[in-house]
Amino acid sequence: MIPVSLPGGNFYVLMAASLACLATLLTWLAVLATTPGARAWLGGHRRGGAILMAFLAIIGAIFPYQQFSLWFSARQNAQADAERKTVLAQPTQLAGVAMPAGTVLSLAQPGDLTSFDLAVFPETHPASIQGVAATRLFRYPASSKQAETLSVEIARDQAQDGWLCAHGHRLEFVLRDGHPSFASCHLAIGNTLNQQPVPPGAWLKVINGASAADAPRWLLRTEGSEALEVARMPLLKVDMQLDSQRRMLDFEGLLARETMLGDMTYQPGTRVLAASLRLPGARPGDLLFSPSRGRSARRAGGEDVPAGKSVLQAPDGAVRSVLSNREAGVLDVAAMRIGP
């Protein structure tokens, strides 16, 4: 949803008052032009009539002035946009993209093709970016926090690096050594992970290694009400890191329904993640469960584990230890995530 700034309520009151005064003034002038009695009355009340007419004229002029200002501003903006736009007469390489003839460019600096911030490609000849057929391209300059980025619109779901990206969202590319490199997209229906479907709309991001030659890792983030099974548990709001072969390296999520593991029973919304090997007694494959606020985990034959504590558990259900969230490295606050 795009936020829109609306004028204050006083603006509409002023416009209505101005329009009423303008209508009154024009009606009065029409009556003066057609009625001798009205002219005679005005002749007998010249001072008062002149003051009233001047007041109506001043207030009534606000509405047409405002309309003229809007028209003039729109006209100037249209002229500026026309000066910034250009159409490529021949194929041209810009920002690492081979752009076909007929591409409409919007330039930040008129006359400088390399300053473009938007490219609209011909319907019959979309541009190919890393094998993706793009219809529109938005360009964002490099900053101190991120590299130069290309945001691409596509007309249909398309594959990229073995994933099927949805056409309802833009694909992101970053420029590396002058060439676009895939960065992120939202996944379409048809993707699978460990022989199970990935919820459509999940966000996929490339996690680059120390150098461009390193095999990419992936961050997969799910949203919505459709669960993804991880470690034989149905999870919502999953953050999962995968290696280049799509093998899971790390994960975190919320239980979608009540789940039993060994002697422990966890309620929906319990946070579960792959346990760090830095935790005392943790072994590869161990899990860490943290009950959400206001809830607890039930333990058969033992005391419940309240919110604020975490359970370190082996995949076979053996409870290794119960830690405070501070000891487990779990933030005891409402979860916040940055991303689409």
Side-chain angles (χ1 to χ4, degrees):
M1 188 179 219
I2 300 175
V4 178
S5 177
L6 297 176
N10 292 338
F11 171 83
Y12 297 103
V13 173
L14 180 60
M15 289 298 103
S18 176
L19 186 59
C21 290
L22 181 61
T24 302
L25 178 61
L26 294 177
T27 301
W28 190 3
L29 293 177
V31 171
L32 288 174
T34 58
T35 307
R39 292 194 295 271
W41 179 90
L42 183 60
H45 302 80
R46 290 186 178 182
R47 182 178 178 83
I51 293 175
L52 180 59
M53 190 172 291
F55 174 80
L56 293 175
I58 292 172
I59 302 301
I62 296 176
F63 180 80
Y65 174 78
Q66 175 69 16
Q67 298 306 305
F68 173 79
S69 298
L70 293 175
W71 171 83
F72 187 72
S73 178
R75 183 169 175 269
Q76 284 187 318
N77 291 336
Q79 289 179 343
D81 288 342
E83 292 176 356
R84 292 177 59 231
K85 287 184 178 179
T86 187
V87 180
L88 295 180
Q90 58 186 7
T92 306
Q93 186 90 5
L94 294 171
V97 178
M99 300 189 180
T103 298
V104 179
L105 297 178
S106 179
L107 308 178
Q109 300 176 4
D112 182 6
L113 297 182
T114 61
S115 71
F116 83 95
D117 52 25
L118 171 63
V120 181
F121 305 114
E123 293 183 5
T124 57
H125 195 172
S128 178
I129 304 175
Q130 293 291 92
V132 172
T135 57
R136 289 160 62 95
L137 184 153
F138 297 82
R139 181 187 182 197
Y140 302 99
S143 67
S144 58
K145 296 183 179 180
Q146 65 178 21
E148 185 174 345
T149 305
L150 304 180
S151 185
V152 174
E153 291 184 1
I154 56 178
R156 65 183 188 282
D157 298 344
Q158 297 183 49
Q160 179 65 209
D161 286 355
W163 301 92
L164 186 62
C165 295
H167 68 279
H169 301 271
R170 295 179 188 171
L171 283 72
E172 305 292 332
F173 295 83
V174 294
L175 283 183
R176 300 186 184 280
D177 299 325
H179 300 284
S181 177
F182 177 60
S184 69
C185 77
H186 287 78
L187 298 181
I189 298 174
N191 290 280
T192 59
L193 183 65
N194 298 329
Q195 299 181 344
Q196 66 168 319
V198 176
W203 184 59
L204 179 74
K205 183 179 185 299
V206 177
I207 304 175
N208 292 291
S211 67
D214 293 340
R217 294 191 302 164
W218 307 97
L219 170 64
L220 182 65
R221 176 170 293 170
T222 68
E223 296 288 352
S225 59
E226 190 171 346
L228 178 67
E229 186 172 305
V230 182
R232 294 177 295 184
M233 294 177 293
L235 300 183
L236 300 172
K237 297 186 179 297
V238 178
D239 275 12
M240 183 188 303
Q241 290 193 30
L242 308 170
D243 65 12
S244 59
Q245 303 300 317
R246 301 193 187 185
R247 293 185 294 254
M248 186 172 64
L249 301 174
D250 196 8
F251 78 91
E252 177 182 339
L254 304 177
L255 288 176
R257 58 176 179 267
E258 186 175 272
T259 301
M260 293 181 61
L261 182 62
D263 293 337
M264 302 299 303
T265 301
Y266 300 101
Q267 298 187 46
T270 297
R271 182 183 181 187
V272 55
L273 62 152
S276 170
L277 296 180
R278 291 174 295 184
L279 292 177
R283 300 177 184 177
D286 282 359
L287 304 171
L288 191 67
F289 295 86
S290 303
S292 59
R293 288 184 177 182
R295 298 190 176 187
S296 60
R298 300 192 303 273
R299 186 173 187 176
E303 295 183 356
D304 290 353
V305 178
K309 292 185 176 294
S310 296
V311 181
L312 178 63
Q313 217 169 348
D316 62 4
V319 176
R320 300 201 190 279
S321 61
V322 176
L323 310 169
S324 69
N325 282 354
R326 180 183 294 273
E327 294 172 324
V330 176
L331 292 178
D332 193 17
V333 295
M336 294 182 64
R337 302 198 306 183
I338 300 176

